[in-house]
Amino acid sequence: MNYDALLWLSFGGPEGPDDVMPFLENVTRGRGVPPERLAEVAEHYHHFGGVSPINRLNREAIAAVEKELAAQGVELPVYFGNRNWHPMVEDTVATMKADGVRRALVFPTSAYGGYSACRQYDEDIARARAAVGDGAPELVKLRQFFDHPLFVSSFADAVRAAHAQLGDAEGTRTVFTAHSVPLSADVTSGPPAEGGNRYSRQIAEAARLVAAEAGVEGYDVVWQSRSGPPQVPWLEPDIVDHLDALHAEGVTSVVVCPVGFVSDHLEVIWDLDNEAADRAGELGMRFARAATPNGDPRFAELVAELVREHTAGAQARKLSAFPASGGTANGEPCAAGCCEAVKRPS
């Protein structure tokens, strides 16, 4: 099948102090989050001058992907759209229509299944096409890639580098982290016939694959960045609580790998590089954080390979038994009831 373009679809982030509150209001719209909570989160952004690195990293990744596609003889312009901040995906899809794009592939900047990680990108696609109306391009989303060999090898090398940073001290514990979600959201992740918990099971599988390639025998999978009220159960343990537990066990050094993220979101640079690193320092634990894949040349190769699965019939490379899913058209879910939204109390 022929395609006219690639749409890079991401979360978005503020690029200056005046952007922070409007951005957070976009993120939390309809969830009833109180203003004081938004103000608290805003301080995390203001710690970095009101700028999240995500838009810059996306633009750098897009440039690398454009170069990689050209090197492979794939002529596809790459457009950039976000869910929560400019460039907004609705505006980007309108531009694509004006440019004559009729059919495009979509790369969502998430490797996993689940509502926030996959289904919400389907909703973004459907919303953008509806906003553009007649003549909106057909949008075909690329599949989930948490178990792609290039994704795994990038993280494995990052884990090895982080261990080397600590001198590969004996007894260093490797801890994999991903964004926590409410237990109710994890239960509904994946097609209902699969039994749920696809998100947490995929995270566990990615951690297993990375640990095996990095030569790490003992490791933990924990969670970070929860934002809900304490009475609502979320995936646990939290990374900071886990550092306390490791310290109680006598662990003196830790490598943290944010396997749930493809780039340095604010959640990575605040929750890990600040909060977790500071707590490790208070406990007297040596701390190193593994890099995310976004800046690795293999990431651009991965995206190009996912594109070529559609444009050239390239074989899908996977390291797990999970089905190749997430690749749907025009915002349709993978299956009826797949990864349905769960209302999150504020």
Side-chain angles (χ1 to χ4, degrees):
M1 186 175 291
N2 294 325
Y3 294 91
D4 306 316
L6 173 66
L7 169 60
W8 190 277
L9 179 57
S10 193
F11 188 83
E15 296 187 90
D18 293 340
D19 297 345
V20 173
M21 286 305 292
F23 162 75
L24 291 176
E25 289 166 357
N26 285 344
V27 173
T28 59
R29 181 171 291 117
R31 290 174 52 188
V33 177
E36 57 270 21
R37 174 56 182 161
L38 290 185
E40 179 182 340
V41 175
E43 287 306 308
H44 299 169
Y45 287 89
H46 289 305
H47 181 82
F48 301 99
V51 178
S52 167
I54 189 170
N55 273 7
R56 172 181 59 81
L57 292 171
N58 276 322
R59 293 186 181 104
E60 291 174 0
I62 288 168
V65 167
E66 288 175 327
K67 184 177 179 180
E68 182 66 29
L69 288 172
Q72 295 189 21
V74 180
E75 297 183 5
L76 286 181
V78 184
Y79 291 80
F80 178 25
N82 285 321
R83 176 185 305 154
N84 296 305
W85 199 246
H86 306 286
M88 303 296 289
V89 64
E90 296 90 340
D91 298 333
T92 301
V93 174
T95 299
M96 293 167 71
K97 174 187 173 181
D99 289 347
V101 174
R102 295 171 299 174
R103 182 181 296 113
L105 294 168
V106 181
F107 176 74
T109 56
S110 169
Y112 298 92
Y115 175 70
S116 296
C118 184
R119 179 68 181 269
Q120 200 167 9
Y121 286 103
D122 294 328
E123 294 177 357
D124 296 336
I125 290 168
R127 185 183 67 254
R129 294 187 77 249
V132 171
D134 292 343
E138 180 181 355
L139 299 175
V140 178
K141 186 154 65 75
L142 300 175
R143 66 175 176 88
Q144 296 156 16
F145 55 90
F146 72 95
D147 55 355
H148 193 286
L150 293 172
F151 187 70
V152 172
S153 64
S154 177
F155 265 125
D157 284 350
V159 167
R160 280 190 285 261
H163 275 272
Q165 181 181 333
L166 296 180
D168 208 16
E170 184 177 351
T172 298
R173 190 69 175 174
T174 304
V175 179
F176 293 94
T177 73
H179 203 300
S180 186
V181 299
L183 291 182
S184 56
D186 190 46
V187 166
T188 61
S189 65
E194 191 179 272
N197 304 109
R198 174 175 279 194
Y199 174 66
S200 60
R201 290 188 296 115
Q202 286 181 336
I203 293 292
E205 178 66 1
R208 185 190 71 80
L209 292 169
V210 172
E213 183 160 336
V216 172
E217 294 184 2
Y219 65 90
D220 306 311
V221 177
V222 304
W223 308 93
Q224 63 173 90
S225 311
R226 69 161 291 165
S227 59
Q231 67 270 22
V232 176
W234 284 50
L235 290 171
E236 293 180 338
D238 177 78
I239 175 61
V240 174
D241 295 337
H242 190 64
L243 291 176
D244 290 341
L246 291 178
H247 175 68
E249 294 173 9
V251 174
T252 58
S253 59
V254 61
V255 164
V256 175
C257 174
V259 75
F261 299 85
V262 303
S263 67
D264 286 2
H265 294 202
L266 188 103
E267 288 89 345
V268 173
I269 63 174
W270 176 260
D271 295 351
L272 299 184
D273 296 351
N274 283 267
E275 288 189 335
D278 288 350
R279 183 57 181 158
E282 292 168 359
L283 296 170
M285 300 174 70
R286 301 174 70 214
F287 180 97
R289 198 263 288 176
T292 49
N294 194 323
D296 189 316
R298 283 169 289 191
F299 192 67
E301 294 175 30
L302 184 161
V303 177
E305 193 169 307
L306 294 177
V307 166
R308 293 184 67 252
E309 290 178 12
H310 290 262
T311 62
Q315 183 178 359
R317 293 202 293 153
K318 291 169 47 58
L319 296 175
S320 81
F322 277 89
S325 57
T328 59
N330 297 332
E332 290 296 318
C334 296
C338 185
C339 300
E340 289 187 336
V342 175
K343 182 176 175 57
R344 298 185 186 183
S346 59

